[in-house]
Amino acid sequence: MIDTHAHIYAQEFDNDRNEVICRAVEQGVNQILMPNIDLESIAPMLETEKAYPEICRSMMGLHPCYVDADVKQTLATIHSWFEKHNFIAVGEIGIDLYWDKTYRTEQEFAFVTQLNWAKEMGLPVVIHTRDSISETLELLKGEQDGSLSGVFHCFGGSVEEAKAITDLGFHLGLGGVSTFKNGGMDKVIPHLDLKDIILETDCPYLAPVPHRGKRNEPSYTELVAKRVADLKELTLAEVDKLTTNNATKLFKL
């Protein structure tokens, strides 16, 4: 299995990161992909990758919640890192209108700018949306020239939204929300094509049932896989194999 979205470098893991990663490997998670969020997260992310080079892989991007009035300067610094390090994706990027709409214009600018980086570098993008799927899809449609690929991470939308995403050539990242009783994904996942799905935890956030409300970790990827297997009436082995193949191709692992 591959946990395609894990903030394993976060301070929540500072006291037991090695144990957490060992648990993941024991559970069959052999790769952990780490999205960047802001300027402060770069150093701990790269340190984690250096400590676990066979397991942890880094992305580079500016998360929409960390966009502010200095967006151009921040993006210039983020972009400069692509010349210094080999990243597997541009991420995580996107639009978030849940917490604060103050910098919506700047968020849109950052998103489109980073989509264009991905096109120039031939890298996939990892997209964060919150209260913004339609707005994000509109911007993505304007930039999709056939060369963009990637994933809408932490997907929790409708069948129609899933179709709009996959029609643009993008994957759906399924995580802990898929296991929530009130998450609504039990009505959506049966209609999804497994070729479009990759697995993630988004740890330390959004832990799947039965750990909901606690710290999430990469070993819980299997709980998401089991949920998908149950809803798709497949074996866990089938879901593991297909989603791992999807992630391996998408991120060129």
Side-chain angles (χ1 to χ4, degrees):
M1 282 176 287
I2 298 173
D3 182 352
T4 63
H5 198 106
H7 302 274
I8 192 71
Y9 57 80
Q11 61 184 20
E12 284 88 342
F13 298 103
D14 282 354
N15 294 326
D16 64 346
R17 186 171 290 107
N18 189 63
E19 292 92 322
V20 168
I21 290 174
C22 287
R23 271 199 296 275
V25 172
E26 285 165 14
Q27 205 65 45
V29 178
N30 58 3
Q31 291 205 289
I32 299 169
L33 312 186
M34 304 181 297
N36 188 58
I37 55 170
D38 62 6
L39 297 179
E40 278 68 48
S41 58
I42 298 170
M45 178 180 71
L46 293 179
E47 283 164 18
T48 303
E49 183 181 57
K50 189 176 179 182
Y52 304 93
E54 301 299 311
I55 300 164
C56 297
R57 302 291 300 278
S58 297
M59 312 171 194
M60 181 53 62
L62 179 63
H63 188 295
C65 288
Y66 298 89
V67 168
D68 58 23
D70 295 325
V71 62
K72 288 186 179 176
Q73 189 176 342
T74 305
L75 284 172
T77 305
I78 294 274
H79 188 254
S80 71
W81 273 97
F82 285 99
E83 294 171 10
K84 306 176 205 172
H85 191 86
N86 186 25
F87 296 101
I88 59 166
V90 178
E92 76 188 88
I93 68 175
I95 307 288
D96 190 310
L97 302 178
Y98 177 79
W99 294 109
D100 187 357
K101 298 183 178 71
T102 306
Y103 297 109
R104 176 172 176 164
T105 302
E106 289 84 353
Q107 282 192 37
E108 292 179 358
F109 171 79
F111 181 53
V112 171
T113 298
Q114 293 177 97
L115 288 176
N116 279 288
W117 295 352
K119 288 194 274 195
E120 290 161 16
M121 294 184 281
L123 291 174
V125 294
V126 172
I127 296 177
H128 166 104
T129 62
R130 196 158 183 202
D131 286 2
S132 63
I133 283 192
S134 59
E135 291 87 348
T136 305
L137 282 168
E138 199 60 38
L139 290 169
L140 190 57
K141 277 177 196 162
E143 296 301 325
Q144 178 59 290
D145 57 5
S147 66
L148 279 169
S149 65
V151 57
F152 276 64
H153 109 86
C154 195
F155 179 73
S158 65
V159 174
E160 293 73 25
E161 287 168 339
K163 185 178 186 304
I165 289 166
T166 57
D167 281 352
L168 278 173
F170 277 70
H171 287 70
L172 305 162
L174 299 185
V177 174
S178 303
T179 70
F180 297 173
K181 282 181 182 171
N182 59 353
M185 292 302 287
D186 56 321
K187 307 283 193 300
V188 176
I189 290 173
H191 300 282
L192 303 181
D193 192 321
L194 219 59
K195 72 174 171 51
D196 299 320
I197 293 172
I198 59 177
L199 305 177
E200 62 168 74
T201 61
D202 198 20
C203 69
Y205 318 107
L206 297 170
V209 173
H211 306 288
R212 189 173 182 182
K214 298 174 183 169
R215 184 187 70 172
N216 200 359
E217 61 175 76
S219 65
Y220 298 163
T221 306
E222 186 183 51
L223 295 169
V224 180
K226 280 179 176 168
R227 178 67 166 159
V228 174
D230 289 345
L231 290 170
K232 293 293 289 179
E233 298 180 348
L234 296 166
T235 65
L236 179 61
E238 286 173 310
V239 170
D240 285 355
K241 183 180 179 183
L242 287 162
T243 55
T244 297
N245 284 345
N246 293 344
T248 301
K249 282 184 198 164
L250 177 63
F251 294 105
K252 302 180 180 72
L253 300 172

